[in-house]
Amino acid sequence: MSDFSDALQARLSNNEELAAQRQQAEAEMERLRQEAEQAERDQDEARNARHAELAAHLKSVADQLKASKPDSFIVRTGWTESGEEFIVKLSTRQMSPKRVLFVEVDRDDDEVVARWTSDLGMAVEIWRLLEVTPAMLTEMVLQVADDAAWRGERPPAFPQG
């Protein structure tokens, strides 16, 4: 019976080791899950902060454009009903070629969409929220007013980050 007792004791010891390893693995998985959730929350907070920053900056520069020459620019800004998108539409008057810049800063889709519509054609660009800088938005708004940028055969290139 000694062999049986030794074998049983070895199996029970092995079971205890396996249970301890399983417990460690489960604890590690739980720690990793919590870290992933925290990273996602941090990214959401960063995206929300960037969204608010970009929306405020875009409104500010659009308002400055309108104030600079009220007869030359039509400026429409606002939030969608859901509050997740901030939209700006800048159009020219008495400028050639006619041009419209439409910018949508979308928090839930995590993107900024910019679209030129003009007598020279159309262009669209999409960026992730965290890729866009206020300087890029400023440059786009300045391009609306820059007649020299519109002397080519197509809309000016979108700024790069």
Side-chain angles (χ1 to χ4, degrees):
M1 282 276 183
S2 175
D3 289 340
F4 175 78
S5 185
D6 292 342
L8 179 61
Q9 195 60 26
R11 296 261 171 128
L12 291 175
S13 272
N14 189 38
N15 286 349
E16 287 176 9
E17 276 183 42
L18 291 174
Q21 289 173 356
R22 185 177 60 246
Q23 213 170 24
Q24 285 178 335
E26 287 173 355
E28 179 66 13
M29 286 177 60
E30 178 64 19
R31 185 187 65 76
L32 291 173
R33 185 189 62 75
Q34 288 175 352
E35 284 179 5
E37 286 175 357
Q38 184 61 46
E40 188 173 328
R41 281 192 299 273
D42 292 347
Q43 187 173 14
D44 285 346
E45 286 177 20
R47 190 173 36 246
N48 290 343
R50 176 52 61 99
H51 182 267
E53 174 191 15
L54 295 176
H57 182 76
L58 189 54
K59 176 151 181 41
S60 172
V61 294
D63 290 345
Q64 289 175 46
L65 179 72
K66 176 69 174 174
S68 71
K69 282 185 114 177
D71 294 341
S72 296
F73 303 105
I74 301 168
V75 176
R76 302 283 183 257
T77 63
W79 291 93
T80 58
E81 191 173 311
S82 67
E84 85 174 53
E85 298 104 2
F86 182 74
I87 297 175
V88 172
K89 183 178 178 185
L90 306 169
S91 307
T92 61
R93 284 191 242 187
Q94 308 163 354
M95 296 177 89
S96 182
K98 291 181 181 178
R99 49 206 178 250
V100 176
L101 174 63
F102 175 86
V103 180
E104 177 182 331
V105 182
D106 190 327
R107 180 186 61 235
D108 290 351
D109 289 339
D110 183 29
E111 65 187 19
V112 175
V113 178
R115 181 177 65 233
W116 284 118
T117 306
S118 73
D119 295 341
L120 299 178
M122 294 179 58
V124 175
E125 187 75 30
I126 300 175
W127 299 276
R128 289 275 172 241
L129 271 174
L130 297 177
E131 296 171 352
V132 177
T133 65
M136 291 168 69
L137 297 175
T138 299
E139 180 64 27
M140 279 190 283
V141 171
L142 289 173
Q143 287 175 330
V144 173
D146 186 359
D147 281 335
W150 291 88
R151 296 286 179 236
E153 296 179 6
R154 60 180 169 257
F158 288 103
Q160 300 302 310

